[in-house]
Amino acid sequence: MLAHDWLTGMRGGEKVLESLCRLFPDADLVTLVHRAGTVSPAIANRRIRSSAIQHLPFATRLYRHYLPLFPTAIEMFDLDSADLVISSSHCAAKAVVPTGRARHVCYCHSPMRYAWDQFEAYFGAPRVGRVASAVLRPVLAGLARWDRATAPRVDRFVANSQFVAGRIARYYNRPALVLHPPVDTAFFTPGADAPAEPVFLVVSALVPYKQIETAIDAAGRLGARLRVVGDGPDLARLRARAGATVEFTGSLDDHALRDAYRRAQAVLLPGTEDFGIVPVEAMACGRPVIALDAGGARETVVPGVTGFLVDGNRPSDFAEAMDAARRHPFDSAAIRAHAERFGVDRFETGFRQILADALTGAPAC
């Protein structure tokens, strides 16, 4: 049995789930919400069971508004027939209730961000208003307590980065093995005839913690062109903030995204990512990355070789690094070689071994 939070279009989470579907071709898939047409055929063609939230008004678009219902919805799934449960979780999926005989391995993208350390980014007074923020604070505190209390339902945690392993230890008091997510380095490759343009690139969901405004403001300081790929609830706010040199493309299919990577002068990552699949995809295309010196970027970006890590999240800090990247002699082949360490085969081989150890009772760490 595979469990995932929601199937509504993903980046890193989708790539992990695609690998799990290949490893377990006969497993059923349970999820809180499934929006048809937003995930790859490898996932969409599974036997998919959605939760009761699926039938609530506008659930496929506004599923985050039903956050207080997630605990009840995820615990209602009947997993009595499953001897093995694998959850791919950044919110609630790790809290499914397996039978006593079943083993449960959780690939954890992150403990629930908004309940633990990003309440202000999502639900602070500047975002939702003083009254709504005050009402939501005890709700999210309750979700954090539930998130911690349900951690014992997992037999083994696998984290997508050392950064997330640290969060699992801090919030769940549990050890976690680290296995970086799979990146399709066979697809994301340098282009033979696509020279870099004088344009910087952001590829991201447009949500608060991504800090896209830092990249927008940095581009404004430099008068540099910036292309923002992605969609999300912050789109209108970011458009209003952007200057004439900033272009918003919306979401792109994989082929158009690969072309955008290949043509970028550098790819920007202004927020703290749990792992950050975008930087590795960009590096697989031979392009450098300018990332905040925090989170998973510390595990993927090699300063001076595959990009720069920026010590500070002010627009001026990123503008300085962007200006330096224009002059730095990056070696596309060396950048690509580094990215190949994060390929799909490496992930699937590693996960098979972790699962075998979990089933035989070998120590987690």
Side-chain angles (χ1 to χ4, degrees):
M1 181 70 67
L2 304 177
H4 193 78
D5 287 305
W6 45 76
L7 302 176
T8 57
M10 304 163 280
R11 292 294 302 150
E14 179 174 359
K15 301 307 178 185
V16 168
L17 192 54
E18 284 179 350
S19 280
L20 294 179
C21 287
R22 280 191 294 270
L23 291 172
F24 305 97
D26 298 322
D28 287 347
L29 174 59
V30 299
T31 184
L32 289 170
V33 176
H34 174 211
R35 186 165 70 212
T38 61
V39 293
S40 67
I43 298 171
N45 292 335
R46 309 294 295 204
R47 295 185 298 272
I48 299 174
R49 284 193 279 150
S50 301
S51 75
I53 292 174
Q54 182 82 35
H55 307 291
L56 296 176
F58 309 108
T60 58
R61 289 189 298 107
L62 304 178
Y63 53 92
R64 289 186 179 90
H65 289 66
Y66 295 111
L67 183 62
L69 302 181
F70 286 3
T72 300
I74 205 73
E75 291 173 348
M76 286 177 64
F77 282 117
D78 181 359
L79 306 186
D80 285 355
S81 63
D83 293 312
L84 172 65
V85 175
I86 299 171
S87 57
S88 172
S89 181
H90 58 82
C91 182
K94 72 108 174 70
V96 291
V97 185
T99 64
R101 72 175 185 282
R103 301 290 287 176
H104 179 188
V105 176
C106 174
Y107 189 86
C108 186
H109 303 276
S110 175
M112 195 182 296
R113 297 184 192 97
Y114 13 83
W116 287 108
D117 55 6
Q118 291 181 12
F119 177 87
E120 293 298 330
Y122 281 90
F123 304 116
R127 304 285 311 173
V128 300
R130 292 176 59 188
V131 174
S133 181
V135 170
L136 287 169
R137 189 172 295 277
V139 173
L140 272 295
L143 279 173
R145 291 191 295 271
W146 171 83
D147 192 37
R148 186 196 301 272
T150 56
R153 296 176 186 173
V154 175
D155 294 298
R156 183 155 302 188
F157 278 102
V158 184
N160 68 357
S161 65
Q162 295 289 349
F163 178 65
V164 168
R167 300 185 79 221
I168 291 170
R170 184 161 63 252
Y171 299 134
Y172 299 158
N173 195 28
R174 295 284 300 277
L177 296 167
V178 175
L179 180 64
H180 293 130
V183 178
D184 192 352
T185 55
F187 178 82
F188 290 102
T189 58
D193 56 355
E197 299 176 352
V199 58
F200 293 94
L201 181 68
V202 166
V203 179
S204 176
L206 305 186
V207 293
Y209 81 95
K210 300 288 188 177
Q211 298 185 37
I212 308 302
E213 59 269 23
T214 299
I216 289 173
D217 293 351
R221 282 173 171 265
L222 284 179
R225 290 174 59 199
L226 173 66
R227 186 170 293 144
V228 179
V229 175
D231 206 346
D234 268 10
L235 175 59
R237 180 179 69 86
L238 294 172
R239 276 190 187 278
R241 189 182 189 110
T245 63
V246 180
E247 170 193 3
F248 292 84
T249 70
S251 298
L252 300 178
D253 64 32
D254 282 347
H255 287 85
L257 176 61
R258 180 176 61 184
D259 185 65
Y261 283 139
R262 288 171 172 177
R263 294 182 179 276
Q265 188 159 52
V267 174
L268 309 182
L269 189 78
T272 301
E273 292 286 346
D274 301 317
F275 169 71
I277 198 167
V278 165
V280 185
E281 289 178 345
M283 290 186 285
C285 293
R287 306 314 305 148
V289 173
I290 301 171
L292 182 66
D293 186 10
R298 292 175 172 171
E299 301 170 43
T300 60
V301 179
V302 182
V305 178
T306 70
F308 296 133
L309 292 175
V310 181
D311 184 18
N313 62 356
R314 297 173 302 179
S316 58
D317 299 322
F318 266 80
E320 182 179 348
M322 291 159 67
D323 192 42
R326 291 166 162 171
R327 302 186 301 272
H328 191 83
F330 287 109
D331 182 344
S332 178
I335 295 173
R336 162 71 187 180
H338 174 70
E340 288 175 336
R341 299 170 49 207
F342 299 91
V344 173
D345 289 345
R346 179 266 330 163
F347 173 84
E348 293 183 4
T349 298
F351 196 87
R352 284 192 191 97
Q353 185 58 58
I354 288 171
L355 186 61
D357 291 343
L359 294 174
T360 59
C365 294

